Amino acid sequence: MGNSGSQAARFDTHGRQRPGATHTAQVVSPRPGWFEQDMDDVFAAVAGVIGQLVGGGAAPPELIALTGQGDGVWLVDADGHAVRPAVSWMDARAAGIVDRWQADGTVEAAFRRTGGAMFPGSPGPVLAWLDAYEPDVLDRARTAGYCKDMVMQRLTGLRATDASDASQPFLDPATRTYARDVLDHCGLAHRADLLAPVVEPVPAAGLTGKAATLLGLPEGTPVTAGPFDLPACALGSGVTAPGQGHLIVGTTLACQVIVDTLDLSGEVAGLTLALTTPGQWLRAMPAMVGTAALDWILARVGVPHAEVDDLLAETEPGAGGVDCLPYFSPAGERAPFVESGARARLDGLTLHTSTGELVRAVCEGIAFAARHCFEAASAGGTTLQEVTCCGGGTRSRQWLQLFADVLGREVRVAAKPEVGAYGAVLAGLAAIDTGVDTGVDTGGWTEPAAVVQPAPASMGVYAEKYARYLAAVGRARTEWKERSLTHPSDAVRGDPAGADDQPGASGGPA
């Protein structure tokens, strides 16, 4: 379940993917910077795509495995039904809270305990916003959970979450229990009962009679939930050992590396996600930048996605001197640094700049952001090896080559389109006994579909340009901070400190 829709894929006992089903979703923006989803619509979409796969006399599945978008806040009652629309991870209403928490040390204190840097759409700031301006909604809620947890409860009645979702921002990564002191730092200790129990390796239960009737499946069919989409995609891509990297080239640019040593030093940024394998964590840098930046420039220059490869092939590395800082999200950036005021820019334009150079500059900027994220994720001493990637951006072979050249690493392309779903299946099969042996006769299912080697000549060009990129980011961060002081974000983004007379979702101030 993602912010753009729900996808279901069916796998046989040898790991081969069968035809799947997709249902698009609607993300609503009731005010600038606010992004919400209707939970009933999300659940109906899940039921619909499952129904498409199990209808027509198909044999019932041995397991339904769930994964989905992380972060945000999905408030539900005791039966798993919404008490307000879900606040998406893309939401910016709590940007002012994050700014203040950065200033007073709350963000850093939480990071040094949990390894997770809070950003406007993460549960800590969103819950603090709701506690201040929609306390009656929190009073009515039983759980402040995550997308997959809502669906799990509606299907099975189980109120639970997994360690990966719980990692941000309240889970102690060493003990894998909620850190009370982090809740105290956030002023949310009195809301601790809203956090769902953490079940390991992942929550598992059977379909209720009501859900079984809805889906047309036997009551008691096993259902598992987790890990959430970032670690699920890594697992489904075959990224399982320390030092292996994973890149999701999607709406957001998720760069992650498996580590076996906790390092909570360095700049406050990224996530440290507990994996189902004890003693391993996924050091994740889920940047807000991604294919949305490419979508933006293509729309402005009137070029369809199908022509991206040709444009990249026709232009030289370096984009004719055009540089891009690709921070187009209105919520700013969350990795490899947290700057709610981060904004995009294009430099070096002239009357001679071509359309292809504009597009290449944005593609290069996104690749530089990926390298920046991987360097931050590996800062604790882990050596980044090869990188396996997935996501819509991998359809462009020229962009894959660009990523390999910028990263200076072999880039592998995940073999199947629904790697997140497959990761959820692998985690689910490890959690319950279905008799399916995922280690035998898999046919090399996680072997890459393609391998792209970096080109030495381009690596040299990009090494120099990347150094300029880092310097530009450093200068821009100073400017973004100064701008935040002179143009406070609170009133624009709906933070409690900046708006005291506008109706909120529950009728209170927003």
Side-chain angles (χ1 to χ4, degrees), residues 91-144:
D91 198 271
R93 76 189 68 190
I97 291 178
V98 174
D99 290 343
R100 291 196 298 276
W101 283 0
Q102 283 184 302
D104 67 20
T106 297
V107 169
E108 180 166 3
F111 179 83
R112 301 304 174 202
R113 282 284 284 113
T114 68
M118 290 183 284
F119 61 96
S122 62
V126 174
L127 279 173
W129 191 96
L130 292 167
D131 190 50
Y133 279 78
E134 296 185 15
D136 56 319
V137 173
L138 292 186
D139 291 342
R140 296 199 307 272
R142 177 67 182 94
T143 305

Side-chain angles (χ1 to χ4, degrees), residues 167-179:
S167 293
Q168 172 66 1
F170 301 121
L171 196 74
D172 182 320
T175 65
R176 300 164 84 97
T177 59
Y178 290 120

Side-chain angles (χ1 to χ4, degrees), residues 297-502:
I297 192 66
L298 292 178
R300 296 305 175 277
V301 299
V303 172
H305 285 79
E307 296 181 14
V308 169
D309 262 11
D310 290 340
L311 286 176
L312 293 178
E314 294 166 1
T315 52
E316 295 294 326
V322 180
D323 299 320
C324 175
L325 298 187
Y327 305 109
F328 288 87
S329 169
E333 189 49 87
R334 59 179 178 173
F337 50 80
V338 178
E339 296 285 1
S340 63
R343 293 295 180 266
R345 61 181 61 178
L346 284 161
D347 293 326
L349 300 172
T350 75
L351 292 175
H352 300 295
T353 298
S354 69
T355 296
E357 288 168 339
L358 276 174
V359 173
R360 175 174 276 278
V362 173
C363 289
E364 288 179 350
I366 296 170
F368 290 146
R371 178 169 173 175
H372 197 182
C373 285
F374 274 121
E375 289 179 353
S378 306
T382 299
T383 300
L384 177 65
Q385 301 166 12
E386 77 276 356
V387 174
T388 302
C389 61
C390 65
T394 63
R395 289 191 289 267
S396 169
R397 178 56 188 253
Q398 291 291 330
W399 202 9
L400 286 175
Q401 183 65 60
L402 196 158
F403 272 111
D405 295 344
V406 168
L407 296 175
R409 298 287 191 281
E410 177 181 280
V411 170
R412 303 181 172 203
V413 182
K416 296 295 184 289
E418 297 299 342
V419 292
Y422 184 59
V425 166
L426 290 178
L429 291 175
I432 64 174
D433 183 14
T434 63
V436 176
D437 186 354
T438 59
V440 177
D441 193 22
T442 60
W445 203 84
T446 56
E447 287 298 308
V451 178
V452 181
Q453 300 291 344
S458 297
M459 286 174 58
V461 173
Y462 286 134
E464 181 179 343
K465 189 169 184 179
Y466 177 63
R468 297 202 308 270
Y469 172 88
L470 289 180
V473 169
R475 292 191 297 270
R477 291 185 66 181
T478 300
E479 296 171 7
W480 293 332
K481 287 182 171 65
E482 292 173 351
R483 185 179 184 279
S484 294
L485 293 175
T486 57
H487 298 81
S489 60
D490 294 353
V492 175
R493 301 185 189 177
D495 188 85
D500 52 12
D501 58 359
Q502 299 181 34

